[in-house]
């Protein structure tokens, strides 16, 4: 008896989806594996590190609705990248300035941050200046280690008012974050750099906007920083403070020092680290003893660090 002829499966949505999944699955798997290997390739990281960093900084800035516009310290909005806040924390702890002078407060979130750090570290007070005090968090007025001034920071009169609040023996650090036009920032740097004492930092913020909005901000803070550094030997850009890669303050952490050896470059030798992730999986390297011992050594030193 003849068996009934098998009916061909109709080309319905279900069948199309199944066939596509099969067809795409394998190349997609290979592609993902390729990306995994390629992106963690030390040569790629070494060649394109600067570009990756620049693009990630841009991305972080452009997605500001998720990132920059919603960054809080103790519930107060601060207009800074978290990595820069951490860098400030490290600097203030290390240098323990008597006075932190901050220009540009807006809501005062950063002023609040500096003041709370000073309290936590048991030393320091903040003098903060803005051309308008309309947007400040009211809690700022309750802090006993904050002095708030209204005035323009490109005006020598404002500098004189700040100077009058500082004792000659006090150590001073300055953070500039007011208007971002190059001429204003340059004037501000020229005025407020005078307050910085030896061994302390002058932080000129927002150099990154030359990358994020090059047409508008080509002549922004970065331009002013370059101009200032050409005119002085007192300050050195401390790139170690940019070592977290994500930063608003490109070339903006300027250390006042006569001792150039004090400034150390960040060490990016770790770029080679991915080698240990993927080399062992290549058959040619599979039973190389040196690689195994390298892995063991790395694991041991990591455990010791913990
Ligand atoms: C970017 S916001 C400061 C943000 C704040 N430092 C933070 O991190 O949260 C810039 C502030 O600079 C102030 N500003 C603009 N021009 C100024 C000037 N000539 N003198 C002083 N402050 C100025 C603005 O009023 C604004 O509040």
């Amino acid at each position: 008896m003849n068996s009934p002829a098998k009916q061909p499966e109709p080309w319905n949505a279900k069948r199309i989806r199944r066939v596509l999944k099969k067809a795409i699955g394998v190349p997609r798997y290979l592609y993902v594996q390729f990306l995994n290997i390629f992106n963690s390739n030390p040569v790629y990281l070494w060649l394109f590190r600067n570009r990756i960093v620049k693009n990630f900084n841009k991305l972080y800035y452009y997605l500001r609705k998720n990132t920059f516009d919603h960054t809080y310290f103790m519930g107060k909005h601060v207009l800074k990248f978290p990595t820069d806040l951490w860098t400030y924390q490290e600097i203030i702890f290390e240098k323990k300035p008597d006075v932190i002078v901050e220009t540009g407060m807006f809501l005062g979130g950063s002023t609040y941050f500096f003041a709370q750090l000073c309290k936590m570290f048991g030393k320091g007070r903040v003098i903060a200046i803005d051309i308008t005090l309309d947007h400040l968090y009211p809690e700022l007025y309750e802090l006993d280690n904050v002095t708030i001034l209204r005035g323009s920071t490109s005006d020598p009169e404002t500098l004189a008012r700040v100077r009058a609040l500082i004792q000659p023996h006090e150590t001073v650090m300055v953070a500039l974050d007011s208007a971002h036009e190059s001429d204003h920032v340059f004037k501000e740097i020229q005025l407020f750099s005078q307050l910085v004492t030896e061994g302390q930092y002058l932080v000129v913020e927002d150099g990154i906007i030359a990358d994020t909005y090059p047409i508008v901000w080509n002549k922004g803070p970065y331009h002013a920083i370059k101009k200032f550094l050409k005119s002085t030997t007192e300050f050195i850009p401390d790139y170690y403070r940019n070592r977290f890669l994500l930063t608003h303050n490109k070339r903006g952490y300027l250390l006042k020092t006569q001792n150039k050896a004090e400034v150390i470059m960040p060490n990016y030798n770790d770029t080679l680290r991915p080698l240990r992730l993927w080399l062992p999986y290549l058959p040619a390297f599979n039973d190389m003893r040196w690689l195994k011992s390298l892995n063991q050594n790395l694991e041991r030193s990591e455990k010791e660090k913990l």
Side-chain angles (χ1 to χ4, degrees):
M1 229 173 74
N2 280 345
S3 58
K6 208 179 167 192
Q7 290 296 315
E9 194 184 348
W11 278 98
N12 54 19
K14 208 171 152 193
R15 185 176 173 198
I16 292 171
R17 215 179 305 135
R18 200 178 61 237
V19 168
L20 278 180
K21 215 170 156 188
K22 250 192 207 158
I24 293 170
V26 173
R28 207 191 79 156
Y29 174 77
L30 292 176
Y31 174 66
V32 169
Q33 289 308 322
F34 167 76
L35 280 189
N36 280 347
I37 291 174
F38 187 71
N39 287 346
S40 60
N41 181 332
V43 179
Y44 167 80
L45 290 179
W46 178 72
L47 279 177
F48 296 111
R49 195 185 66 225
N50 287 346
R51 189 179 296 179
I52 297 167
V53 169
K54 204 166 167 177
N55 284 340
F56 184 67
N57 271 282
K58 279 189 194 180
L59 182 69
Y60 192 93
Y61 192 77
Y62 292 152
L63 297 180
R64 54 184 299 166
K65 286 267 169 290
N66 292 295
T67 57
F68 191 53
D69 286 350
H70 289 276
T71 304
Y72 301 95
F73 172 75
M74 293 176 79
K76 312 261 176 303
H77 179 199
V78 190
L79 281 83
K80 299 196 194 308
F81 287 179
T83 36
D84 285 319
L85 290 171
W86 194 256
T87 300
Y88 269 119
Q89 174 274 131
E90 289 188 351
I91 291 177
I92 294 167
F93 183 78
E94 273 173 45
K95 300 289 178 179
K96 301 247 168 40
D98 294 311
V99 183
I100 300 169
V101 176
E102 184 196 28
T103 72
M105 300 171 78
F106 187 42
L107 303 168
S110 51
T111 319
Y112 199 81
F113 174 74
F114 292 143
Q116 292 296 352
L117 286 187
C118 290
K119 277 186 189 289
M120 210 155 75
F121 302 154
K123 193 178 172 200
R125 62 198 169 87
V126 184
I127 301 176
I129 311 129
D130 202 298
I131 205 160
T132 164
L133 306 180
D134 294 349
H135 313 291
L136 287 187
Y137 286 113
E139 292 93 318
L140 267 180
Y141 293 100
E142 290 160 19
L143 293 172
D144 56 4
N145 62 346
V146 176
T147 310
I148 298 168
L149 300 178
R150 190 202 304 266
S152 173
T153 46
S154 54
D155 182 356
E157 181 92 356
T158 309
L159 177 69
R161 284 166 62 207
V162 176
R163 221 193 264 279
L165 294 169
I166 301 171
Q167 303 298 318
H169 64 271
E170 287 183 307
T171 51
V172 183
M173 161 187 164
V174 170
L176 304 180
D177 188 22
S178 66
H180 300 322
E181 290 79 17
S182 176
D183 288 346
H184 170 82
V185 179
F186 187 65
K187 256 190 222 159
E188 211 184 21
I189 297 178
Q190 281 186 315
L191 292 175
F192 283 80
S193 63
Q194 298 171 31
L195 296 176
V196 181
T197 50
E198 180 71 16
Q200 294 288 342
Y201 280 86
L202 166 70
V203 185
V204 186
E205 296 228 358
D206 295 313
I208 190 193
I209 57 180
D211 296 335
T212 48
Y213 294 112
I215 297 171
V216 188
W217 291 114
N218 183 26
K219 295 260 173 191
Y222 192 65
H223 182 80
I225 295 169
K226 280 203 294 190
K227 202 165 145 191
F228 174 65
L229 287 175
K230 273 188 200 149
S231 71
T232 181
T233 52
E234 281 190 318
F235 289 86
I236 305 175
D238 186 352
Y239 298 110
Y240 181 73
R241 302 297 175 185
N242 294 132
R243 74 188 183 288
F244 298 136
L245 308 176
L246 178 69
T247 180
H248 228 267
N249 308 331
K250 188 180 167 188
R251 218 178 174 193
Y253 293 96
L254 311 180
L255 179 64
K256 184 170 183 178
T257 180
Q258 293 306 315
N259 177 14
K260 293 210 165 129
E262 210 186 318
V263 177
I264 47 173
M265 286 298 283
N267 179 354
Y268 291 120
N269 286 345
D270 264 11
T271 313
L272 290 175
R273 176 163 285 263
L275 267 179
R276 76 179 265 250
L277 289 179
W278 61 271
L279 271 186
Y281 295 101
L282 297 183
F285 292 92
N286 219 349
D287 42 42
M288 284 185 112
R289 281 215 201 115
W290 65 268
L291 198 66
K292 280 185 184 153
S293 70
L294 173 78
N295 269 334
Q296 280 161 3
N297 285 345
L298 280 168
E299 271 158 25
R300 199 174 308 134
S301 64
E302 263 165 24
K303 269 184 204 149
E304 274 164 17
K305 262 189 236 157
L306 290 174

